[in-house]
Amino acid sequence: MPKTWTAFTKLPAKDPAEALGEAMEELEPAPSGIGVFEIEDGSGTWEVGGYFTEAPDDIELALLAAAFGAQDFVVSEVPDQDWVDKVRRELTPVEAGRFFVYGSHDADKIPEGAEPLLIEAAMAFGTGHHGTTLGCLRALDRLATGGFTGRNVADIGCGTAVLAMGAARIWPDPVMASDIDEVAVEVAEANVRANGLEGKVSCVEAAGFDNPELAARAPFDLVFANILKQPLIDLAPHMAAHLQPGGYAILSGILTRQADEVVEVYARNGINQIHREEIGDWVTLTLQNGGA
């Protein structure tokens, strides 16, 4: 099996992180993949990393880090093993209320009467193993158990679309799923097909609610937004505009110490907390629009 190297660094802001990610494309040897993402700890720190099939040049990396004000790159050789197989072995199925999130290798373990959601191991984040996704599925199950039926549901920042698919599994009306990232939309569409939900989940590329299809479907009676604290805060007035009176919002991607601030901002927009669940360091909020 060919060898792989990784090179990761951290920066204190988004713009230099994205600029560094673009600059890494010019490295020799060139990375086979580059990732730029915010670390989910509320610190505002960004991580930039690359994957290489040849050992990267330490001097080039040091010069890049200095030029963009980044920490020194940490370079590691990845041990020879099939990482998807490793994740498959370690990623056990998750039960969240009536929902059973699993990989195809565990298809024989689906409990009788469960609502199955297939997400393959190669797409592990957003499967239900992370506390934020697990909390959202539990919140969905809680609403449904309480008698609520979603007739117009949106999943904003859908990632793998596991939440949209959960809603589509239990309710008859089509669900909208959106993500700002084009690749995430493609992953979501692949998952929808794998779960036999074509025609029941529509996936679109959008920043928040900014898409004609979402605008045409609003107002929604249930909106998922499993993203991060600041995007959730920025989304609050738009949520109020797109959520029907009495409609529900299930929010996550929030650390426990950030929850009160999010609740306060949404309350100022007429959307009030009715339930809070903590799973590890993460919080899932269920809120209801009190607007007339």
Side-chain angles (χ1 to χ4, degrees):
M1 182 176 293
K3 292 183 178 180
T4 302
W5 286 261
T6 60
F8 284 89
T9 185
K10 295 178 181 178
L11 297 92
K14 177 181 179 180
D15 288 347
E18 291 182 340
L20 175 55
E22 292 179 8
M24 287 180 68
E25 296 176 5
E26 306 302 321
L27 287 171
E28 291 292 341
S32 58
I34 298 170
V36 180
F37 53 91
E38 186 175 10
I39 297 174
E40 295 184 339
D41 62 359
S43 68
T45 302
W46 287 70
E47 188 166 65
V48 180
Y51 291 83
F52 300 81
T53 55
E54 300 177 53
D57 188 310
D58 290 338
I59 295 175
E60 282 196 71
L61 290 175
L63 291 172
L64 269 183
F68 289 91
Q71 298 179 16
D72 291 340
F73 276 91
V74 176
V75 179
S76 303
E77 183 178 340
V78 180
D80 290 344
Q81 58 179 302
D82 187 328
W83 283 97
V84 173
D85 279 348
K86 175 180 172 62
V87 172
R88 181 177 291 122
R89 289 193 300 272
E90 296 181 355
L91 204 61
T92 56
V94 168
E95 293 187 61
R98 72 193 69 195
F99 301 103
F100 184 80
V101 186
Y102 71 103
S104 58
H105 57 289
D106 285 319
D108 59 341
K109 298 178 183 177
I110 301 172
E112 184 177 351
E115 298 290 351
L117 296 168
L118 170 64
I119 305 288
E120 289 295 8
M123 301 172 181
F125 187 83
T127 61
H129 294 76
H130 195 270
T132 61
T133 314
L134 176 60
C136 288
L137 286 172
R138 286 180 178 174
L140 170 60
D141 179 71
R142 192 178 302 113
L143 283 178
T145 299
F148 173 73
T149 298
R151 294 183 170 86
N152 193 16
V153 179
D155 182 3
I156 304 298
C158 66
T160 60
V162 66
L163 303 177
M165 292 191 300
R169 273 268 184 256
I170 63 173
W171 295 322
D173 294 290
V175 177
M176 291 289 299
S178 72
D179 201 283
I180 196 170
D181 183 78
E182 180 182 359
V183 174
V185 174
E186 293 173 357
V187 169
E189 290 173 336
N191 286 331
V192 169
R193 290 192 297 271
N195 283 270
L197 291 170
E198 301 99 318
K200 290 208 64 182
V201 179
S202 299
C203 304
V204 298
E205 187 176 346
F209 291 95
D210 189 15
N211 180 281
E213 292 184 50
L214 286 167
R217 285 278 299 274
F220 297 95
D221 58 7
L222 172 62
V223 176
F224 298 102
N226 181 13
I227 39 181
L228 291 170
K229 183 199 81 169
Q230 192 56 50
L232 283 174
I233 287 174
D234 296 341
L235 191 66
H238 306 284
M239 183 74 77
H242 289 83
L243 191 64
Q244 72 179 37
Y248 296 95
I250 295 175
L251 312 181
S252 200
I254 312 161
L255 293 164
T256 53
R257 57 184 168 78
Q258 300 170 336
D260 288 344
E261 182 180 357
V262 174
V263 169
E264 180 183 347
V265 170
Y266 274 78
R268 291 202 300 266
N269 285 272
I271 305 172
N272 301 299
Q273 175 184 304
I274 60 171
H275 192 273
R276 177 187 300 208
E277 180 177 13
E278 297 184 8
I279 301 175
D281 293 330
W282 300 95
V283 171
T284 299
L285 303 171
T286 303
L287 304 98
Q288 188 170 24
N289 186 7

